[in-house]
Amino acid sequence: MTNAPDLRHLTVLVSGASVAGPALALNLARRGARVTVVERAPELRGGGFAVDFRGHVHRTVLTAMGIWDEIHARQTHMGRQTVVDADGDPRVDLPAELMSGDVEIFRGELAQIMYERTKDDVDYVFGDSVTSLTETPDGMDVTFERGAPRRFDLVVGADGLHSTTRRLAFGDEAGHLRFFDHYVAAFEVPNHLGLDRAGRLYSEPGRAVVVGNYDGDPDRAGALLVFRSEELSHDRRDVTAQKRILMDRFAGMGWEAPAVLKALEETDDLYFDAIAQIHVDRLTQGRVALLGDAGYGATMGGMGTGVAIVGAYVLAGELALAGGDHRIAFAEYESRIRDFAKGCQKISGNAGPFFAPATERRIRNRDRVYRLLGSRLLAGFFKRLTEKAATDITLREYPALPAA
């Protein structure tokens, strides 16, 4: 790799401190750029879904960022997950490679790893958000909900599926979000099944309950609810209304659904969203770029974390090669990431029907297919199948990141 250029002249505002934001901050700050990360939440958010990485592209990027070894040290070690019937009896085992990739880690743990490596060099501003963006010949004038207005050379929206940055620079969310006929909810439940890094999936037509233990805690597990639906009109911040929707949709369901719904009543930390994708005509607009879920996100099943990490690496690398010239760097970033991200998004379109097939016949067909793919005879084919989209990009040689 070539020597890293000096990017100390470059000021970058990154909106969002989940995964994509800290990943870009790490890649840019180590090259000298002056990076500010603004996050609506009052502090770095822990927990969240377990996210996975698979294939040589993910490993190459994470190794270059200097975090591969720590991800391995803090991985979930999740085992096989089992599809069960209403009595809890096994129908088919799902190989760990399907659900957990080569290595899996909680999203909050991953964010913490990158935050710890950047907090001394990056200005993190929690409890605030961007309210307006105005491009001038000299930069981007940005106003905030709480902080004073500031000017930056570049702004990167890494603020998720419902990105404020995208709305301000690219237009209303309705023009970019594609709904995939399903919703998903996640929350913590007691580990009453005594699971140890294992999961159970139960499906009825159009709805599914998943209970899994990812960290070996004997008392705690996570629940995932997936259901088929027309597009709903609801306040994304009204947790009480979301609980009512879930209670109604899962009423009368078998297996462990009643116990899961009881835990739902008591939780104060509920994730609820449509299974959807983001599609934009362009990933960049003037001095603004979209990264991760804000630009090419999928709610689940599209390897979104892996794509975000690769996208951050490519965006920072192109800025380094261009000496900070965003006109050159943004064009290269767009051309190199777009098809890769689209390929991963194609997989996510199957997430809802995988968990919650629409009919009993489709449930049986799903189980039959995965019983076959999980056999020893097809193990190698299955691994290549799951890695295909994750490795469908040729990484350019970028200036090496200085050691942390």
Side-chain angles (χ1 to χ4, degrees):
M1 292 187 178
T2 57
N3 292 328
D6 185 355
L7 292 180
R8 283 182 292 180
H9 64 286
L10 192 67
T11 60
V12 182
L13 173 67
V14 180
S15 177
S18 180
V19 168
L24 182 63
L26 187 154
N27 281 281
L28 285 178
R30 297 248 300 269
R31 292 185 169 106
R34 290 171 287 163
V35 182
T36 299
V37 177
V38 62
E39 166 58 48
R40 180 185 297 275
E43 59 187 6
L44 198 69
R45 288 175 287 188
F49 288 112
V51 298
D52 64 75
F53 300 100
R54 56 189 75 208
H56 69 275
V57 170
H58 290 175
R59 178 166 185 161
T60 296
V61 170
L62 294 168
T63 300
M65 292 171 62
I67 61 176
W68 173 258
D69 289 341
E70 188 163 356
I71 288 173
H72 257 267
R74 297 168 70 168
Q75 66 179 302
T76 64
H77 294 287
M78 186 65 174
R80 297 173 76 88
Q81 303 196 43
T82 304
V83 178
V84 299
D85 62 20
D87 296 321
D89 296 326
R91 293 174 62 135
V92 59
D93 278 339
L94 301 174
E97 292 85 355
L98 169 67
M99 309 299 283
S100 305
D102 296 335
V103 62
E104 181 182 63
I105 186 171
F106 285 111
R107 183 205 56 76
E109 293 266 338
L110 176 62
Q112 186 69 39
I113 288 172
M114 294 186 290
Y115 173 73
E116 291 295 333
R117 281 166 166 72
T118 56
K119 64 181 182 180
D120 293 336
D121 303 308
V122 171
D123 180 19
Y124 281 88
V125 179
F126 291 99
D128 207 350
S129 61
V130 175
T131 54
S132 74
L133 300 170
T134 304
E135 183 165 353
T136 72
D138 300 320
M140 292 293 300
D141 288 339
V142 184
T143 62
F144 299 91
E145 196 171 281
R146 297 185 179 180
R150 294 176 62 182
R151 174 171 290 183
F152 299 87
D153 294 318
L154 306 174
V155 174
V156 178
D159 42 354
L161 205 69
H162 305 290
S163 168
T164 297
T165 309
R166 186 185 62 238
R167 175 176 57 79
L168 292 172
F170 294 78
D172 188 75
E173 178 177 292
H176 307 299
L177 188 142
R178 296 185 188 175
F179 174 59
F180 277 77
D181 301 320
H182 291 79
Y183 284 83
V184 59
F187 50 96
E188 191 172 297
V189 298
N191 189 8
H192 59 275
L193 293 177
L195 300 174
D196 183 7
R197 292 184 171 87
R200 301 288 184 268
L201 162 63
Y202 172 66
S203 300
E204 292 181 1
R207 55 186 184 176
V209 174
V210 183
V211 178
N213 171 273
Y214 285 79
D215 59 5
D217 188 324
D219 300 320
R220 185 177 62 181
L224 193 74
L225 301 180
V226 179
F227 66 95
R228 183 178 176 85
S229 173
E230 71 286 352
E231 193 163 6
L232 303 174
S233 177
H234 68 283
D235 184 346
R236 289 192 298 108
R237 294 181 175 84
D238 188 343
V239 175
T240 300
Q242 293 167 4
K243 287 184 178 183
R244 283 198 300 267
I245 292 170
L246 292 166
M247 289 292 185
D248 178 61
R249 297 288 177 145
F250 286 85
M253 190 172 185
W255 188 55
E256 296 293 329
V260 170
L261 293 179
K262 182 179 178 182
L264 171 65
E265 289 181 333
E266 300 170 357
T267 189
D268 56 3
D269 187 14
L270 172 66
Y271 170 86
F272 180 85
D273 208 343
I275 295 182
Q277 292 180 357
I278 292 297
H279 293 265
V280 291
D281 295 331
R282 292 184 55 82
L283 296 173
T284 62
Q285 179 74 34
R287 292 175 177 267
V288 180
L290 300 177
L291 174 66
D293 284 354
Y296 31 85
T299 308
M300 61 191 302
M303 293 178 285
T305 301
V307 181
I309 292 283
V310 174
Y313 178 77
V314 170
L315 177 54
E318 294 299 339
L319 283 166
L321 284 178
D325 187 332
H326 71 280
R327 293 164 297 183
I328 297 172
F330 281 6
E332 290 291 338
Y333 163 68
E334 180 121 27
S335 68
R336 295 178 185 281
I337 284 296
R338 178 171 290 279
D339 288 345
F340 173 61
K342 283 185 176 180
C344 293
Q345 280 186 318
K346 287 180 181 179
I347 299 174
S348 74
N350 298 321
F354 166 76
F355 284 103
T359 65
E360 286 285 1
R361 181 179 179 181
R362 291 183 181 180
I363 291 173
R364 291 194 298 271
N365 287 343
R366 177 203 62 189
D367 295 349
R368 189 178 301 115
V369 167
Y370 282 94
R371 190 177 296 114
L372 181 63
L373 289 176
S375 68
R376 185 172 299 178
L377 182 65
L378 292 178
F381 167 77
F382 184 81
K383 180 175 174 59
R384 291 192 297 273
L385 185 69
T386 60
E387 289 181 359
K388 185 177 187 299
T391 58
D392 194 19
I393 184 173
T394 300
L395 294 174
R396 198 174 182 186
E397 184 172 325
Y398 295 123
L401 285 170

